[in-house]
Every structure is written in structure tokens, then in C-alpha cells.
């Protein structure tokens, strides 16, 4: 689904060749500052490499309209972005971007419950804890129904049990719905347990 060839970005990232398959779970691991977030941002064209090519479904990524591409390939950034408004508003804001206003409130309530966020959808999102904000932002991405989900350390603020519960659900969802998941994680255990492929990025010194 993605193919990267001869990629170079500043003196941060060099990748000779990389393939990421459709309908697979890929984890990106590596030490802090090695370029994991940088690679993720390149996969939905938030940043472009200085050299080399990135293909999405065999077409160069910069040939796509960036907005259309980001509706199909949705990235959840490392720090959750919470807007003023209720939890529900914060979840539905992703739907507005993906231009599909139809949603199932039961599905959203079910996700909140599955992810152990014991809050009412009408409560203000600003009062949530860091870990709850992370999970609300993850629900926002799932509800957008993208083809590819890019997650940048989606569970960094969660305890181990909640982390496992959330990732387990997301991976099952991805498999059941034929999606592609690419996730940066600090946890080699999570990577080993859930991924079909692991990409390890090493820092250049
Ligand atoms: N636009 C930029 N210009 C210059 N340097 C940058 C830019 N973006 C990132 N960097 C640097 O590139 C390196 C890789 O950053 P990146 O965020 O991709 O690492 P990471 O592996 O995701 O790190 P972490 O695990 O700490 O989140 C860092 O040293 C960062 O400071």
C-alpha cells in the first residue's frame, strides 16, 4: 500500500526501501528522536522528503490532493488536540473533516465504554485527564472510518492494562474492517504482540 524508495530528510531520516502492506498492522519502534514521527507525517504528506519517493497505492503521494489523502490516511498526533466543547463535539469534529455527517451515537457510546472512559458524552472535554483525552482523540479517528490509521504513541499516557485493552480493540477493529494500521509505539511488547511487521528506526550519530 505504501512504498518508500531512497528517502532522505535533512540528516534525520534515510530509508533505502520500505514496503507497508494493505490490511496489515505495522509498528514503528526506535529510540527518542530517531525519526518515527517524521516518517508517520510523510505517509499523509504533512511533510515531504528532501529526496526519494513515497507511493500510496502505486501513485506518488504528492500526486494526491492533500486534503483527500488526509481523509483516507488519518493521523493521530502524539499530543491529543482537544477543542472547547463536549466530548461528543470533540469526537464529531473528525466526521466534519471527512465530510460524512452520519454517525451512530450507540457506536460512540460503545467505544467510550470499551476504552474505559466512564464519562457522559455531553461533559466538557477540557476536564478530561490526559489519558482520557488520548482515548477520545482515538475514537475521533476511528469514527472517521479512514482506510489507513496512523497512530503516534496513542497510549503513552495510559497504564499498561488500559494500553493493552485499547490496542487490542483497535487491532481487532482494523482486522475486522480491512483497514491498515501503522503505529509508533515505545513498547516493544505491544509491537511484538500485535504487529504483522515491525519497523525499527535507528538514530544516526
Ligand atoms: N522540521 C524539522 N526540522 C528540523 N528538525 C526536525 C524537524 N522535525 C523533527 N526534527 C528533529 O528530527 C528528529 C526526529 O524527530 P521525530 O519527532 O521524528 O522523532 P521520534 O522518533 O518520533 O521521537 P520521539 O520518540 O521522542 O517522539 C529530532 O531530533 C527532532 O528534533
Amino acid at each position: 500500500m505504501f512504498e518508500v524508495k531512497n528517502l532522505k530528510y535533512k540528516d534525520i531520516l534515510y530509508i533505502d526501501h520500505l514496503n507497508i502492506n494493505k490490511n496489515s498492522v505495522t509498528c514503528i519502534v526506535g529510540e527518542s528522536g530517531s525519526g518515527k514521527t517524521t516518517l508517520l507525517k510523510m505517509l499523509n504528506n504533512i511533510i515531504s522528503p528532501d529526496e526519494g519517493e513515497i507511493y500510496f497505492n502505486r501513485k506518488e503521494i504528492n500526486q494526491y490532493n492533500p486534503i483527500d489523502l488526509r481523509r483516507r490516511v488519518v493521523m493521530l498526533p502524539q499530543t491529543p488536540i482537544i477543542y472547547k466543547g463536549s466530548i461528543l463535539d470533540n469526537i464529531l469534529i473528525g466526521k466534519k473533516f471527512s465530510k460524512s455527517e452520519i454517525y451512530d451515537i450507540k457506536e460512540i457510546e460503545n467505544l467510550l465504554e470499551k476504552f474505559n472512559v466512564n464519562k457522559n458524552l455531553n461533559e466538557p472535554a477540557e476536564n478530561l485527564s490526559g489519558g482520557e483525552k488520548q482515548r477520545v482523540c482515538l475514537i475521533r479517528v476511528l469514527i472517521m472510518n479512514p482506510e489507513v490509521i496512523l497512530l503516534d504513541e496513542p497510549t503513552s499516557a495510559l497504564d499498561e492494562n488500559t494500553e493493552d485493552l485499547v490496542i487490542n480493540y483497535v487491532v481487532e477493529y482494523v482486522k475486522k474492517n480491512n483497514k491498515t494500521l501503522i503505529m509508533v509505539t515505545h513498547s516493544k511488547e505491544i509491537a511484538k504482540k500485535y504487529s504483522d511487521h515491525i519497523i525499527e528506526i535507528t538514530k544516526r550519530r
Side-chain angles (χ1 to χ4, degrees):
M1 178 168 237
F2 287 100
E3 189 176 12
V4 174
K5 285 184 186 167
N6 303 317
L7 179 146
K8 179 179 176 303
Y9 181 71
K10 304 186 191 291
D11 60 348
I12 300 166
L13 204 57
Y14 294 79
I15 299 175
D16 291 339
H17 193 246
L18 175 66
N19 258 323
I20 297 175
N21 296 333
K22 201 171 174 191
N23 304 342
S24 68
V25 175
T26 300
C27 282
I28 304 176
V29 297
E31 65 186 300
S32 184
S34 56
K36 304 182 296 296
T37 300
T38 304
L39 174 59
L40 223 51
K41 283 181 180 167
M42 285 185 182
L43 298 180
N44 71 349
N45 206 6
I46 292 175
I47 52 176
S48 306
D50 298 325
E51 289 175 26
E53 299 103 55
I54 301 175
Y55 296 90
F56 175 57
N57 290 337
R58 296 175 193 278
K59 188 165 126 181
E60 261 208 80
I61 209 157
N62 49 20
Q63 303 288 312
Y64 289 89
N65 172 312
I67 305 293
D68 289 341
L69 178 76
R70 286 176 210 137
R71 286 192 181 114
R72 298 172 65 184
V73 182
V74 173
M75 176 165 172
L76 176 68
Q78 203 165 355
T79 314
I81 299 168
I82 290 288
Y83 304 91
K84 207 169 160 42
S86 68
I87 297 175
L88 183 61
D89 294 337
N90 267 274
I91 292 172
L92 294 181
I93 211 152
K95 278 253 153 246
K96 291 207 175 95
F97 175 72
S98 50
K99 277 194 175 164
S100 92
E101 301 286 333
I102 302 157
Y103 65 92
D104 177 356
I105 197 83
K106 281 266 167 297
E107 187 190 357
I108 297 176
E109 282 170 347
N110 184 35
L111 280 166
L112 268 190
E113 197 184 317
K114 283 257 171 353
F115 288 174
N116 258 344
V117 181
N118 303 307
K119 302 282 174 190
N120 190 297
L121 280 171
N122 296 318
E123 286 184 43
E126 285 137 307
N127 297 345
L128 295 172
S129 74
E132 286 165 346
K133 284 179 183 164
Q134 249 181 354
R135 282 168 281 170
V136 163
C137 290
L138 182 56
I139 294 171
R140 178 193 294 152
V141 169
L142 296 182
I143 290 295
M144 287 169 77
N145 198 24
E147 287 168 50
V148 182
I149 304 171
L150 307 175
L151 303 180
D152 194 355
E153 303 216 23
T155 51
S156 56
L158 307 187
D159 62 82
E160 266 178 40
N161 287 342
T162 313
E163 174 176 51
D164 197 64
L165 181 138
V166 168
I167 300 296
N168 192 27
Y169 183 86
V170 173
V171 168
E172 264 185 31
Y173 168 88
V174 162
K175 300 269 177 196
K176 202 163 66 196
N177 295 287
N178 298 320
K179 309 275 181 203
T180 303
L181 172 65
I182 305 169
M183 173 170 69
V184 172
T185 175
H186 60 277
S187 164
K188 288 204 172 170
E189 289 76 42
I190 290 281
K192 270 192 212 135
K193 185 167 170 188
Y194 291 109
S195 55
D196 301 310
H197 302 283
I198 299 177
I199 299 169
E200 180 153 11
I201 303 192
T202 49
K203 200 168 174 173
R204 288 177 68 92
R205 300 180 197 278

